[in-house]
């Protein structure tokens, strides 16, 4: 291969530089290919790329050797000299290996590449004789194009696909802490988030063992007194800082056919805050529940008192009416036996009347009151009619019963006048009697307060006139708080 010495020096310098740069580019391409296992025959393709790198290094050495000597020396160190020609036969192996891949992967576009590589063997170089510089130029030009395009493709593929490097980078950028160790406890992978968590907890991340780490995390959890507010946890929950809480979970995984121990640190700060808010809300609800129970108890007492007052009023009204009728009958100088039997029936039905609510038919109830007082010759004069509103009519009946009872009992009245006056803006009930006029100021007992309360329950007023005739007046506005 002495004819290589005949190539001009500028051409050899350019070729040496090009092959040197191509060797660097091919090295980068080979390393990037080693991080990907997506294609078939991964190991065979990777070996082929390594052989291409060897081919380019031989090309660089060949051009450099021709520049310094006659192109036959591969390596020289003082008295040691290694010939270049035997190493050029490696290109033949590279071509044959590439041909095998071309057939298996069905890539006919590799034929020209293989021809260029095979032409760089000693036999072809000797055959070309003085045109061997053309072979080196074609070889350099072809691989300049090939390596430039493959590097562009590699960098694009690196940004759009998953490789070993991208997986490691992704794990490193995860907000969750991640640590993976083999069964001996040696850490294989630990991302920045896990490293920061351990440093914040006071651990040293150099030469850390996974087994001892998990035990120390449990010890720290037991030492904490304000964890999760009593909420059970499926792992180890620790505060990393006043504003961050992490949940450490341990599991077993398989990595490269090797059983490994994995520890993950999840950020549960929001969940911790939510648990705190829930606990505070539960305390507020418990307090509100106690207040509600107290209020319900008070309402029950009020309701019982109201029911008791209502019952007292009914007892006073009904029994007072019956006793007034009986008292008037007993004072009669000529008692009638038939009237006595009817009065006895009224007395016998006192309990039944107390057990029943107010009669929904108010007119019938008013008629029964009038009939009862007729037994003792008390005349009830009526002008007008009960209001159509059932609530107001019930109030009127209660007041009428009490007023007639008082008139008969205290004033010895024999005639009671009832006047129902329905005006545009109000309802007026007037009850008067021909009984005795009180000589002193009226001392209110149970009757007057119960009548006044009944009138006020429908938004009305209650007034008493002691002048002759003794008169009770109830005025209820038409737009009062009355419900049908």
């Amino acid at each position: 291969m002495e004819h290589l010495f005949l190539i001009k020096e500028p051409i050899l310098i350019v070729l040496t530089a090009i092959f040197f740069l191509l060797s660097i580019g091919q090295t980068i391409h080979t390393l990037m290919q080693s991080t990907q296992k997506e294609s078939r025959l991964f190991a065979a393709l990777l070996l082929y790329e390594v052989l291409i790198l060897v081919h380019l290094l031989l090309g660089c050495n060949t051009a450099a050797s021709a520049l310094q000597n006659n192109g036959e020396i591969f390596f020289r160190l003082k008295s040691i000299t290694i010939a270049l020609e035997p190493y050029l036969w490696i290109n033949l192996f590279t071509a044959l290996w590439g041909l095998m891949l071309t057939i298996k992967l069905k890539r006919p576009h590799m034929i020209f590449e293989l021809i260029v590589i095979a032409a760089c063997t000693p036999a072809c170089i000797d055959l070309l004789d003085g045109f061997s510089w053309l072979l080196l130029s074609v070889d350099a030009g072809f691989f300049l194009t090939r390596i430039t395009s493959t590097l562009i493709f590699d960098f694009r593929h690196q940004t759009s696909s998953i490789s070993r490097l991208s997986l490691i980078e992704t794990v490193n950028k995860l907000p969750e802490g991640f640590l993976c160790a083999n069964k001996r406890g040696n850490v294989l992978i630990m991302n920045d988030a896990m490293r920061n968590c351990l440093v914040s907890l006071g651990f040293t991340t150099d030469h850390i063992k996974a087994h001892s780490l998990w035990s120390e995390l449990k010890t720290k959890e037991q030492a904490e007194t304000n964890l999760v507010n009593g909420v059970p946890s499926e792992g180890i929950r620790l505060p990393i800082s006043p504003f961050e809480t992490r949940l450490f979970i341990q599991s077993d995984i398989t990595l490269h056919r090797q059983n490994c121990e994995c520890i993950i640190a999840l950020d549960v700060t929001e969940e911790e805050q939510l648990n705190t808010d829930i606990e505070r809300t539960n305390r507020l609800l418990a307090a509100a529940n106690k207040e509600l129970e107290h209020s319900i108890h008070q309402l029950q007492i009020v309701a019982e008192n109201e029911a008791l007052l209502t019952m007292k009023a009914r007892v006073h009204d009904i029994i007072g009416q019956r006793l007034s009728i009986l008292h008037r009958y007993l004072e009669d100088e000529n008692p009638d036996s038939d009237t006595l039997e009817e009065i006895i029936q009224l007395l016998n039905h006192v309990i039944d009347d107390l057990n029943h609510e107010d009669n929904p038919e108010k007119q019938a109830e008013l008629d029964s009151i009038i009939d009862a007082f007729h037994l003792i010759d008390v005349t009830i004069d009526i002008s007008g009619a009960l209001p159509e509103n059932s609530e107001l009519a019930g109030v009127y009946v209660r007041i009428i019963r009490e007023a007639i009872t008082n008139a008969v009992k205290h004033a010895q009245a024999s005639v009671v006048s009832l006047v129902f006056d329905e005006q545009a803006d109000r309802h007026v009930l007037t009850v008067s009697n021909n009984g005795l006029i009180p000589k002193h100021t009226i001392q209110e007992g149970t009757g007057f307060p119960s009548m006044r309360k009944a009138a006020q329950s429908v938004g009305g007023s209650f007034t008493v006139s002691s002048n002759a005739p003794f008169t009770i007046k109830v005025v209820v506005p038409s737009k009062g708080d009355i419900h049908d």
Side-chain angles (χ1 to χ4, degrees):
M1 303 194 323
E2 296 179 355
H3 49 274
L4 290 174
F5 187 72
L6 301 176
I7 301 175
K8 294 181 179 181
E9 183 176 350
I11 296 177
L12 290 175
I13 293 175
V14 173
L15 289 175
T16 301
I18 292 175
F19 276 112
F20 178 74
L21 295 176
L22 291 176
S23 299
I24 296 175
Q26 180 63 19
T27 302
I28 296 174
H29 171 65
T30 303
L31 292 175
M32 296 183 75
Q33 285 292 106
S34 66
T35 63
Q36 302 174 5
K37 287 188 176 182
E38 299 177 358
S39 58
R40 296 185 300 127
L41 303 175
F42 170 76
L45 286 171
L46 186 61
L47 177 59
Y48 179 70
E49 295 298 334
V50 173
L51 291 173
I52 293 293
L53 175 60
V54 173
H55 167 74
L56 295 172
L57 290 173
L58 288 173
C60 181
N61 187 273
T62 300
S65 178
L67 182 63
Q68 297 177 2
N69 48 65
N70 60 0
E72 296 182 353
I73 299 175
F74 177 72
F75 178 78
R76 173 183 291 174
L77 181 60
K78 293 185 179 180
S79 60
I80 300 175
T81 301
I82 300 175
L84 174 63
E85 184 174 348
Y87 290 96
L88 292 178
W89 288 105
I90 296 177
N91 290 327
L92 180 60
F93 176 76
T94 302
L96 293 175
W97 190 262
L99 181 61
M100 182 270 294
L101 292 176
T102 301
I103 296 172
K104 284 193 173 184
L105 298 177
K106 298 179 181 180
R107 294 181 178 179
H109 60 275
M110 293 177 59
I111 297 298
F112 182 75
E113 178 179 317
L114 300 177
I115 292 174
V116 172
I117 295 173
C120 293
T121 56
C124 293
I125 293 175
D126 290 338
L127 184 63
L128 290 174
D129 195 16
F131 294 97
S132 57
W133 66 271
L134 184 62
L135 175 62
L136 290 177
S137 300
V138 172
D139 188 19
F142 173 78
F143 280 101
L144 179 62
T145 304
R146 179 189 187 274
I147 293 175
T148 302
S149 60
T150 54
L151 286 177
I152 293 174
F153 175 79
D154 287 341
F155 283 113
R156 288 182 177 177
H157 186 71
Q158 187 74 20
T159 57
S160 61
S161 63
I162 298 176
S163 64
R164 293 182 185 177
L165 293 177
S166 61
L167 282 175
I168 295 174
E169 183 180 359
T170 301
V171 171
N172 197 43
K173 290 185 178 180
L174 286 175
E176 292 78 15
F178 181 82
L179 182 147
C180 184
N182 56 25
K183 287 302 180 181
R184 294 187 297 274
N186 297 325
V187 176
L188 302 177
I189 302 175
M190 180 167 59
N191 66 355
D192 291 341
M194 177 62 80
R195 187 173 289 103
N196 294 334
C197 289
L198 296 180
V199 170
S200 299
L201 291 173
F203 293 97
T204 57
T205 57
D206 298 333
H207 309 293
I208 193 170
K209 294 292 185 180
H211 302 313
S212 60
L213 173 62
W214 188 254
S215 300
E216 292 178 15
L217 288 175
K218 283 186 176 180
T219 303
K220 278 188 172 292
E221 183 187 38
Q222 294 172 358
E224 293 290 338
T225 57
N226 55 341
L227 294 179
V228 202
N229 303 314
V231 179
S233 174
E234 65 275 18
I236 298 176
R237 194 179 295 251
L238 289 172
I240 304 300
S241 69
F243 309 102
E244 181 181 4
T245 302
R246 291 275 180 169
L247 174 64
F248 293 85
I249 301 175
Q250 184 185 40
S251 62
D252 294 329
I253 62 173
T254 302
L255 189 63
H256 295 300
R257 300 179 182 178
Q258 181 181 5
N259 293 329
C260 299
E261 179 183 357
C262 177
I263 299 178
I264 300 175
L266 302 175
D267 188 352
V268 293
T269 306
E270 293 184 2
E271 178 185 343
E272 180 77 3
Q273 183 61 41
L274 181 61
N275 290 334
T276 303
D277 294 342
I278 290 175
E279 184 185 16
R280 183 171 59 253
T281 303
N282 288 337
R283 290 197 298 267
L284 294 176
L285 288 175
N289 185 51
K290 290 182 178 179
E291 292 181 2
L292 182 60
E293 290 179 351
H294 178 71
S295 299
I296 292 174
H297 179 67
Q298 295 298 322
L299 286 175
Q300 289 176 344
I301 295 175
V302 172
E304 291 173 357
N305 292 337
E306 184 69 22
L308 182 61
L309 291 176
T310 302
M311 179 56 67
K312 285 183 177 179
R314 287 180 60 80
V315 169
H316 176 271
D317 292 347
I318 294 176
I319 294 181
Q321 173 193 342
R322 303 299 196 272
L323 292 177
S324 296
I325 294 173
L326 178 61
H327 185 267
R328 175 64 70 88
Y329 175 79
L330 294 177
E331 290 180 348
D332 193 350
E333 296 179 354
N334 298 309
D336 184 5
S337 59
D338 294 335
T339 301
L340 179 60
E341 290 181 2
E342 293 183 17
I343 293 175
I344 292 174
Q345 289 181 1
L346 285 176
L347 295 176
N348 289 335
H349 289 85
V350 168
I351 302 301
D352 294 336
D353 291 342
L354 290 175
N355 287 333
H356 288 85
E357 296 294 333
D358 291 340
N359 191 342
E361 183 55 48
K362 303 305 176 183
Q363 184 61 49
E365 186 175 358
L366 178 61
D367 293 340
S368 66
I369 293 173
I370 295 173
D371 293 340
F373 280 101
H374 279 170
L375 295 175
I376 54 175
D377 296 328
V378 176
T379 303
I380 311 295
D381 294 332
I382 300 177
S383 174
L386 283 173
E388 295 181 358
N389 183 281
S390 59
E391 183 179 4
L392 181 57
V395 169
Y396 276 10
V397 169
R398 287 180 56 189
I399 293 174
I400 289 171
R401 177 192 285 116
E402 181 63 24
I404 296 177
T405 301
N406 287 343
V408 172
K409 178 180 178 181
H410 299 292
Q412 304 298 318
S414 60
V415 178
V416 178
S417 174
L418 306 178
V419 178
F420 300 100
D421 184 11
E422 185 171 350
Q423 301 177 10
D425 58 345
R426 58 183 178 173
H427 301 274
V428 181
L429 168 65
T430 304
V431 182
S432 57
N433 64 79
N434 64 346
L436 301 175
I437 301 301
K439 297 179 180 179
H440 306 286
T441 303
I442 299 176
Q443 299 294 327
E444 293 189 0
T446 305
F448 282 143
S450 66
M451 287 188 286
R452 184 179 293 107
K453 183 178 180 181
Q456 292 174 350
S457 67
V458 290
S461 62
F462 176 85
T463 57
V464 177
S465 175
S466 300
N467 299 324
F470 186 89
T471 304
I472 292 174
K473 191 173 185 179
V474 178
V475 179
V476 180
S478 297
K479 296 182 180 181
D481 186 15
I482 304 173
H483 305 284
D484 290 329

mmCIF file of all heavy atoms in Angstrom, residues 385-415:
data_model
loop_
_atom_site.group_PDB
_atom_site.id
_atom_site.type_symbol
_atom_site.label_atom_id
_atom_site.label_comp_id
_atom_site.label_asym_id
_atom_site.label_seq_id
_atom_site.Cartn_x
_atom_site.Cartn_y
_atom_site.Cartn_z
ATOM 1 N N ALA A 385 -122.912 35.936 62.945
ATOM 2 C CA ALA A 385 -122.489 34.534 62.860
ATOM 3 C C ALA A 385 -120.976 34.450 63.074
ATOM 4 O O ALA A 385 -120.234 35.424 62.945
ATOM 5 C CB ALA A 385 -122.852 33.951 61.499
ATOM 6 N N LEU A 386 -120.558 33.209 63.420
ATOM 7 C CA LEU A 386 -119.127 32.977 63.605
ATOM 8 C C LEU A 386 -118.357 33.265 62.311
ATOM 9 O O LEU A 386 -118.874 33.058 61.207
ATOM 10 C CB LEU A 386 -118.869 31.515 64.018
ATOM 11 C CG LEU A 386 -119.171 31.133 65.468
ATOM 12 C CD1 LEU A 386 -119.028 29.634 65.644
ATOM 13 C CD2 LEU A 386 -118.232 31.866 66.428
ATOM 14 N N PRO A 387 -117.118 33.724 62.415
ATOM 15 C CA PRO A 387 -116.317 33.947 61.199
ATOM 16 C C PRO A 387 -116.091 32.633 60.462
ATOM 17 O O PRO A 387 -116.107 31.540 61.045
ATOM 18 C CB PRO A 387 -114.996 34.505 61.746
ATOM 19 C CG PRO A 387 -115.297 34.997 63.122
ATOM 20 C CD PRO A 387 -116.392 34.127 63.641
ATOM 21 N N GLU A 388 -115.883 32.743 59.150
ATOM 22 C CA GLU A 388 -115.606 31.543 58.353
ATOM 23 C C GLU A 388 -114.231 30.962 58.655
ATOM 24 O O GLU A 388 -114.020 29.768 58.487
ATOM 25 C CB GLU A 388 -115.709 31.884 56.861
ATOM 26 C CG GLU A 388 -117.117 32.283 56.432
ATOM 27 C CD GLU A 388 -117.188 32.595 54.939
ATOM 28 O OE1 GLU A 388 -116.111 32.527 54.291
ATOM 29 O OE2 GLU A 388 -118.292 32.885 54.458
ATOM 30 N N ASN A 389 -113.320 31.804 59.072
ATOM 31 C CA ASN A 389 -111.988 31.311 59.403
ATOM 32 C C ASN A 389 -112.075 30.402 60.616
ATOM 33 O O ASN A 389 -112.523 30.808 61.681
ATOM 34 C CB ASN A 389 -111.056 32.501 59.680
ATOM 35 C CG ASN A 389 -109.629 32.066 59.955
ATOM 36 O OD1 ASN A 389 -109.321 31.624 61.050
ATOM 37 N ND2 ASN A 389 -108.782 32.199 58.940
ATOM 38 N N SER A 390 -111.621 29.139 60.486
ATOM 39 C CA SER A 390 -111.796 28.150 61.550
ATOM 40 C C SER A 390 -110.975 28.499 62.788
ATOM 41 O O SER A 390 -111.414 28.269 63.913
ATOM 42 C CB SER A 390 -111.400 26.762 61.038
ATOM 43 O OG SER A 390 -110.037 26.759 60.603
ATOM 44 N N GLU A 391 -109.781 29.047 62.596
ATOM 45 C CA GLU A 391 -108.939 29.379 63.741
ATOM 46 C C GLU A 391 -109.564 30.509 64.554
ATOM 47 O O GLU A 391 -109.645 30.436 65.792
ATOM 48 C CB GLU A 391 -107.530 29.772 63.273
ATOM 49 C CG GLU A 391 -106.578 30.065 64.432
ATOM 50 C CD GLU A 391 -105.182 30.435 63.957
ATOM 51 O OE1 GLU A 391 -104.978 30.541 62.729
ATOM 52 O OE2 GLU A 391 -104.302 30.621 64.812
ATOM 53 N N LEU A 392 -110.027 31.548 63.854
ATOM 54 C CA LEU A 392 -110.658 32.664 64.554
ATOM 55 C C LEU A 392 -111.957 32.224 65.210
ATOM 56 O O LEU A 392 -112.276 32.642 66.342
ATOM 57 C CB LEU A 392 -110.903 33.816 63.578
ATOM 58 C CG LEU A 392 -111.533 35.077 64.145
ATOM 59 C CD1 LEU A 392 -110.690 35.640 65.288
ATOM 60 C CD2 LEU A 392 -111.738 36.132 63.053
ATOM 61 N N ALA A 393 -112.709 31.364 64.528
ATOM 62 C CA ALA A 393 -113.957 30.867 65.101
ATOM 63 C C ALA A 393 -113.695 30.072 66.374
ATOM 64 O O ALA A 393 -114.429 30.174 67.364
ATOM 65 C CB ALA A 393 -114.690 29.997 64.076
ATOM 66 N N GLY A 394 -112.590 29.251 66.385
ATOM 67 C CA GLY A 394 -112.251 28.499 67.589
ATOM 68 C C GLY A 394 -111.897 29.401 68.743
ATOM 69 O O GLY A 394 -112.260 29.138 69.906
ATOM 70 N N VAL A 395 -111.177 30.492 68.466
ATOM 71 C CA VAL A 395 -110.840 31.451 69.522
ATOM 72 C C VAL A 395 -112.112 32.092 70.077
ATOM 73 O O VAL A 395 -112.270 32.258 71.305
ATOM 74 C CB VAL A 395 -109.868 32.520 68.972
ATOM 75 C CG1 VAL A 395 -109.709 33.674 69.962
ATOM 76 C CG2 VAL A 395 -108.519 31.893 68.659
ATOM 77 N N TYR A 396 -113.025 32.481 69.184
ATOM 78 C CA TYR A 396 -114.293 33.078 69.626
ATOM 79 C C TYR A 396 -115.053 32.125 70.549
ATOM 80 O O TYR A 396 -115.603 32.535 71.592
ATOM 81 C CB TYR A 396 -115.149 33.431 68.417
ATOM 82 C CG TYR A 396 -114.826 34.777 67.786
ATOM 83 C CD1 TYR A 396 -113.700 35.485 68.168
ATOM 84 C CD2 TYR A 396 -115.657 35.334 66.819
ATOM 85 C CE1 TYR A 396 -113.413 36.707 67.596
ATOM 86 C CE2 TYR A 396 -115.376 36.567 66.233
ATOM 87 C CZ TYR A 396 -114.246 37.244 66.631
ATOM 88 O OH TYR A 396 -113.962 38.454 66.077
ATOM 89 N N VAL A 397 -115.099 30.839 70.188
ATOM 90 C CA VAL A 397 -115.869 29.868 70.989
ATOM 91 C C VAL A 397 -115.246 29.735 72.378
ATOM 92 O O VAL A 397 -115.967 29.673 73.390
ATOM 93 C CB VAL A 397 -115.919 28.511 70.255
ATOM 94 C CG1 VAL A 397 -116.477 27.425 71.184
ATOM 95 C CG2 VAL A 397 -116.778 28.621 69.004
ATOM 96 N N ARG A 398 -113.921 29.678 72.457
ATOM 97 C CA ARG A 398 -113.252 29.575 73.758
ATOM 98 C C ARG A 398 -113.572 30.794 74.628
ATOM 99 O O ARG A 398 -113.862 30.675 75.830
ATOM 100 C CB ARG A 398 -111.737 29.462 73.563
ATOM 101 C CG ARG A 398 -111.281 28.127 73.044
ATOM 102 C CD ARG A 398 -109.760 28.111 72.881
ATOM 103 N NE ARG A 398 -109.106 28.443 74.131
ATOM 104 C CZ ARG A 398 -107.787 28.672 74.248
ATOM 105 N NH1 ARG A 398 -107.027 28.642 73.151
ATOM 106 N NH2 ARG A 398 -107.263 28.955 75.426
ATOM 107 N N ILE A 399 -113.510 31.990 74.026
ATOM 108 C CA ILE A 399 -113.780 33.219 74.787
ATOM 109 C C ILE A 399 -115.247 33.264 75.216
ATOM 110 O O ILE A 399 -115.582 33.652 76.363
ATOM 111 C CB ILE A 399 -113.417 34.453 73.939
ATOM 112 C CG1 ILE A 399 -111.891 34.491 73.713
ATOM 113 C CG2 ILE A 399 -113.882 35.739 74.619
ATOM 114 C CD1 ILE A 399 -111.435 35.599 72.766
ATOM 115 N N ILE A 400 -116.155 32.848 74.319
ATOM 116 C CA ILE A 400 -117.597 32.864 74.640
ATOM 117 C C ILE A 400 -117.890 31.931 75.797
ATOM 118 O O ILE A 400 -118.637 32.270 76.733
ATOM 119 C CB ILE A 400 -118.417 32.491 73.391
ATOM 120 C CG1 ILE A 400 -118.353 33.632 72.366
ATOM 121 C CG2 ILE A 400 -119.865 32.178 73.774
ATOM 122 C CD1 ILE A 400 -118.942 33.260 71.017
ATOM 123 N N ARG A 401 -117.319 30.705 75.788
ATOM 124 C CA ARG A 401 -117.574 29.755 76.872
ATOM 125 C C ARG A 401 -117.124 30.341 78.211
ATOM 126 O O ARG A 401 -117.847 30.283 79.220
ATOM 127 C CB ARG A 401 -116.837 28.447 76.600
ATOM 128 C CG ARG A 401 -117.012 27.450 77.764
ATOM 129 C CD ARG A 401 -116.065 26.272 77.675
ATOM 130 N NE ARG A 401 -116.490 25.336 76.646
ATOM 131 C CZ ARG A 401 -115.793 25.061 75.557
ATOM 132 N NH1 ARG A 401 -114.635 25.696 75.338
ATOM 133 N NH2 ARG A 401 -116.237 24.194 74.684
ATOM 134 N N GLU A 402 -115.892 30.916 78.220
ATOM 135 C CA GLU A 402 -115.368 31.458 79.464
ATOM 136 C C GLU A 402 -116.174 32.683 79.910
ATOM 137 O O GLU A 402 -116.455 32.850 81.113
ATOM 138 C CB GLU A 402 -113.885 31.830 79.272
ATOM 139 C CG GLU A 402 -113.209 32.391 80.505
ATOM 140 C CD GLU A 402 -113.153 31.394 81.641
ATOM 141 O OE1 GLU A 402 -113.208 30.160 81.377
ATOM 142 O OE2 GLU A 402 -113.066 31.831 82.811
ATOM 143 N N ALA A 403 -116.579 33.525 78.956
ATOM 144 C CA ALA A 403 -117.316 34.738 79.309
ATOM 145 C C ALA A 403 -118.688 34.402 79.874
ATOM 146 O O ALA A 403 -119.135 35.008 80.879
ATOM 147 C CB ALA A 403 -117.453 35.637 78.073
ATOM 148 N N ILE A 404 -119.393 33.451 79.264
ATOM 149 C CA ILE A 404 -120.724 33.071 79.773
ATOM 150 C C ILE A 404 -120.589 32.429 81.141
ATOM 151 O O ILE A 404 -121.388 32.687 82.065
ATOM 152 C CB ILE A 404 -121.423 32.115 78.779
ATOM 153 C CG1 ILE A 404 -121.675 32.832 77.446
ATOM 154 C CG2 ILE A 404 -122.731 31.601 79.362
ATOM 155 C CD1 ILE A 404 -122.290 31.929 76.380
ATOM 156 N N THR A 405 -119.539 31.551 81.285
ATOM 157 C CA THR A 405 -119.326 30.894 82.583
ATOM 158 C C THR A 405 -119.104 31.934 83.680
ATOM 159 O O THR A 405 -119.676 31.851 84.774
ATOM 160 C CB THR A 405 -118.133 29.938 82.496
ATOM 161 O OG1 THR A 405 -118.379 28.959 81.494
ATOM 162 C CG2 THR A 405 -117.887 29.257 83.834
ATOM 163 N N ASN A 406 -118.253 32.925 83.405
ATOM 164 C CA ASN A 406 -117.987 33.976 84.401
ATOM 165 C C ASN A 406 -119.246 34.788 84.692
ATOM 166 O O ASN A 406 -119.509 35.179 85.855
ATOM 167 C CB ASN A 406 -116.876 34.898 83.908
ATOM 168 C CG ASN A 406 -115.509 34.231 83.958
ATOM 169 O OD1 ASN A 406 -115.334 33.221 84.623
ATOM 170 N ND2 ASN A 406 -114.543 34.799 83.231
ATOM 171 N N ALA A 407 -120.023 35.076 83.644
ATOM 172 C CA ALA A 407 -121.232 35.870 83.839
ATOM 173 C C ALA A 407 -122.221 35.139 84.729
ATOM 174 O O ALA A 407 -122.872 35.742 85.605
ATOM 175 C CB ALA A 407 -121.871 36.187 82.477
ATOM 176 N N VAL A 408 -122.373 33.830 84.536
ATOM 177 C CA VAL A 408 -123.317 33.041 85.328
ATOM 178 C C VAL A 408 -122.799 32.844 86.745
ATOM 179 O O VAL A 408 -123.537 32.946 87.726
ATOM 180 C CB VAL A 408 -123.586 31.694 84.630
ATOM 181 C CG1 VAL A 408 -124.415 30.778 85.541
ATOM 182 C CG2 VAL A 408 -124.301 31.919 83.302
ATOM 183 N N LYS A 409 -121.490 32.580 86.855
ATOM 184 C CA LYS A 409 -120.904 32.223 88.143
ATOM 185 C C LYS A 409 -120.746 33.433 89.055
ATOM 186 O O LYS A 409 -121.073 33.381 90.254
ATOM 187 C CB LYS A 409 -119.546 31.547 87.914
ATOM 188 C CG LYS A 409 -118.815 31.167 89.193
ATOM 189 C CD LYS A 409 -117.492 30.502 88.859
ATOM 190 C CE LYS A 409 -116.703 30.143 90.110
ATOM 191 N NZ LYS A 409 -115.411 29.526 89.820
ATOM 192 N N HIS A 410 -120.233 34.548 88.514
ATOM 193 C CA HIS A 410 -119.874 35.678 89.351
ATOM 194 C C HIS A 410 -120.926 36.800 89.337
ATOM 195 O O HIS A 410 -121.042 37.525 90.331
ATOM 196 C CB HIS A 410 -118.527 36.270 88.908
ATOM 197 C CG HIS A 410 -117.389 35.300 89.003
ATOM 198 N ND1 HIS A 410 -116.909 34.830 90.209
ATOM 199 C CD2 HIS A 410 -116.639 34.705 88.029
ATOM 200 C CE1 HIS A 410 -115.894 33.992 89.966
ATOM 201 N NE2 HIS A 410 -115.725 33.895 88.651
ATOM 202 N N ALA A 411 -121.631 36.937 88.196
ATOM 203 C CA ALA A 411 -122.569 38.063 88.091
ATOM 204 C C ALA A 411 -124.026 37.629 88.158
ATOM 205 O O ALA A 411 -124.925 38.481 88.098
ATOM 206 C CB ALA A 411 -122.313 38.821 86.781
ATOM 207 N N GLN A 412 -124.289 36.325 88.309
ATOM 208 C CA GLN A 412 -125.659 35.792 88.366
ATOM 209 C C GLN A 412 -126.473 36.261 87.162
ATOM 210 O O GLN A 412 -127.670 36.584 87.290
ATOM 211 C CB GLN A 412 -126.335 36.244 89.670
ATOM 212 C CG GLN A 412 -125.569 35.869 90.923
ATOM 213 C CD GLN A 412 -125.416 34.373 91.090
ATOM 214 O OE1 GLN A 412 -126.358 33.612 90.856
ATOM 215 N NE2 GLN A 412 -124.199 33.940 91.436
ATOM 216 N N ALA A 413 -125.837 36.322 85.998
ATOM 217 C CA ALA A 413 -126.519 36.804 84.796
ATOM 218 C C ALA A 413 -127.524 35.774 84.310
ATOM 219 O O ALA A 413 -127.316 34.564 84.441
ATOM 220 C CB ALA A 413 -125.499 37.108 83.699
ATOM 221 N N SER A 414 -128.606 36.258 83.729
ATOM 222 C CA SER A 414 -129.604 35.360 83.135
ATOM 223 C C SER A 414 -129.711 35.556 81.637
ATOM 224 O O SER A 414 -130.325 34.735 80.951
ATOM 225 C CB SER A 414 -130.978 35.617 83.780
ATOM 226 O OG SER A 414 -131.379 36.975 83.561
ATOM 227 N N VAL A 415 -129.130 36.661 81.140
ATOM 228 C CA VAL A 415 -129.145 36.936 79.701
ATOM 229 C C VAL A 415 -127.724 37.343 79.289
ATOM 230 O O VAL A 415 -127.134 38.239 79.886
ATOM 231 C CB VAL A 415 -130.145 38.047 79.317
ATOM 232 C CG1 VAL A 415 -130.071 38.326 77.823
ATOM 233 C CG2 VAL A 415 -131.554 37.663 79.742
#
